[in-house]
Amino acid sequence: MVMRNPLAYQICTNCVMDTTDSKITFGAEGVCDHCLTFRRQILPQWHTDERGRRELEKIVAKIRKSAGGRDFDCIIGMSGGIDSSYLTYIAKAELGLRPLVFHVDAGWNSQEAVNNIEKLVDKLGLDLYTEVIDWEEMRDLQLAFFKSGVPHIDTPQDHAFFATMYKFAEKHDIKYILTGANLSTECVRNPLEWMYYQTDSIQMLDIHRQFGTVPLTKFPVTSILRHKIYLPYVKRIRVVRPLNYVPYTKETAIRLLVERFGWQPYPQKHFESRFTRFYEGYWLYKKFGYDTRRVQYSSLILTRQMTRAEALEKLKSPPLDEETIRQEFEYVATKLGISVAQLEEYMRAPNRTYRDYKSQENVYALGAAVMRLLGLELGGKR
Ligand SMILES: [Zn+2]
């Protein structure tokens, strides 16, 4: 590994990850460790041809069998974004599964997301279950994250999604959860310092203990031991990522969804939630200098869905234009029940990291090392 001056700016010669990811390292010819992980660890084990299809068929057989006499054989976590929408189509139309479409409404759905979910569910003849998160608690937890100064303020929303879905599966004895997580568009992961583990309840609750104002009594909380050990190994609830076994490219998926379902595309990944759009498109970018498009585009470059030149061109302009930012800033402040001036104050306050609060980082690091050793997880955060 080549040593580098920690203050010098450097960008990978193969993808568009750069030193805004402070842990990035560069090897021969300036290729970064994200690219090397992809080439050495992910690519050799990622099969979307016949081999992947056969593996998927085996899993599908198990899923069908697990249903017993129930109406559903699995649940699909649906955000209305491209990955979960395409997954829903594949699961029903191509794999012949009987999924219950599961949606968590944390208060920030975009109108497009709502329309997309309805269209898919309708045309595929599926059932939709929507769990609504208690808004007072959600709002209080989100405000606590703003006050804490950490970059990962998307945690309350993501945590609620995970926790609610697992809870539902456990309660109704459903053994399989399908998610749209995939290597094709997500093989490069957000660095830990940009987005700390959203499932770390110790961190989330510590931040809420310090900055929250109402007790969390209804907000769904999960823990690493619960969803990494108890639910998969004791209750045998498994998470399957079907998009990793089939050819999946963003462009083709969007075209199919638009043509068959009248699905409405989003200008950027994760923009189905208005909060995430504000967070990734403005807050993280402006306050911390972290541009999640680098991660998304780098994934697309590695999987040959975008050229590096095209990515560099797009990165020249900010993710959101001035007018949208102004509107969204006001929307977010109003929705959270604070003034624009207050939100601006949070923006100017000193930046913190996940290390400034209690966490289970060590448990996650150990877990990830074990999973990689057993070959159960490819890549991972670092
Ligand atoms: Zn790279």
Side-chain angles (χ1 to χ4, degrees), residues 47-216:
H47 307 289
T48 59
D49 53 5
E50 272 308 298
R51 184 168 160 184
R53 187 74 197 200
R54 278 198 302 275
E55 277 175 50
L56 184 57
E57 285 300 339
K58 275 187 214 157
I59 300 169
V60 167
K62 281 189 201 162
I63 297 177
R64 285 207 194 99
K65 208 173 152 205
S66 76
R70 284 187 302 270
D71 291 343
F72 310 106
D73 46 27
C74 59
I75 57 181
I76 291 182
M78 163 69 120
S79 66
I82 176 179
D83 301 331
S84 56
S85 297
Y86 191 69
L87 167 67
T88 304
Y89 159 75
I90 290 274
K92 173 75 201 293
E94 288 203 4
L95 303 175
L97 289 170
R98 291 176 295 140
L100 173 68
V101 177
F102 191 88
H103 177 64
V104 179
D105 179 355
W108 295 95
N109 275 331
S110 64
Q111 193 50 51
E112 291 92 333
V114 175
N115 291 345
N116 284 341
I117 296 171
E118 277 176 6
K119 280 176 186 160
L120 266 158
V121 164
D122 253 22
K123 293 198 177 165
L124 288 169
L126 295 171
D127 282 310
L128 172 68
Y129 179 88
T130 301
E131 176 94 14
V132 181
I133 303 297
D134 180 86
W135 175 245
E136 267 318 293
E137 293 187 13
M138 180 72 194
R139 174 185 163 269
D140 193 58
L141 189 55
Q142 284 188 307
L143 280 174
F145 269 80
F146 273 107
K147 291 173 199 167
S148 75
V150 298
H152 48 291
I153 55 169
D154 213 15
T155 296
Q157 201 175 234
D158 264 31
H159 194 97
F161 293 165
F162 280 122
T164 311
M165 205 155 64
Y166 272 111
K167 223 177 212 169
F168 186 89
E170 189 188 6
K171 187 174 166 196
H172 297 279
D173 198 30
I174 295 170
K175 298 297 182 194
Y176 288 91
I177 297 176
L178 273 48
T179 87
N182 68 91
L183 293 168
S184 175
T185 65
E186 300 172 330
C187 59
V188 175
R189 307 272 293 271
N190 283 299
L192 204 56
E193 60 177 341
W194 296 20
M195 270 184 217
Y196 181 68
Y197 301 110
Q198 290 107 338
T199 48
D200 188 340
S201 52
I202 299 290
Q203 170 118 130
M204 187 176 76
L205 297 176
D206 188 43
I207 286 175
H208 186 259
R209 187 182 55 79
Q210 294 192 40
F211 303 103
T213 59
V214 299
L216 299 182

Side-chain angles (χ1 to χ4, degrees), residues 11-18 24-26 30-36 39 188 298 302 308:
I11 181 166
C12 174
T13 52
N14 185 59
C15 71
V16 291
M17 289 305 285
D18 64 5
I24 198 169
T25 54
F26 298 94
V31 174
C32 80
D33 61 320
H34 294 282
C35 288
L36 292 180
R39 283 183 200 161
V188 175
S298 292
L302 287 171
R308 185 168 179 276

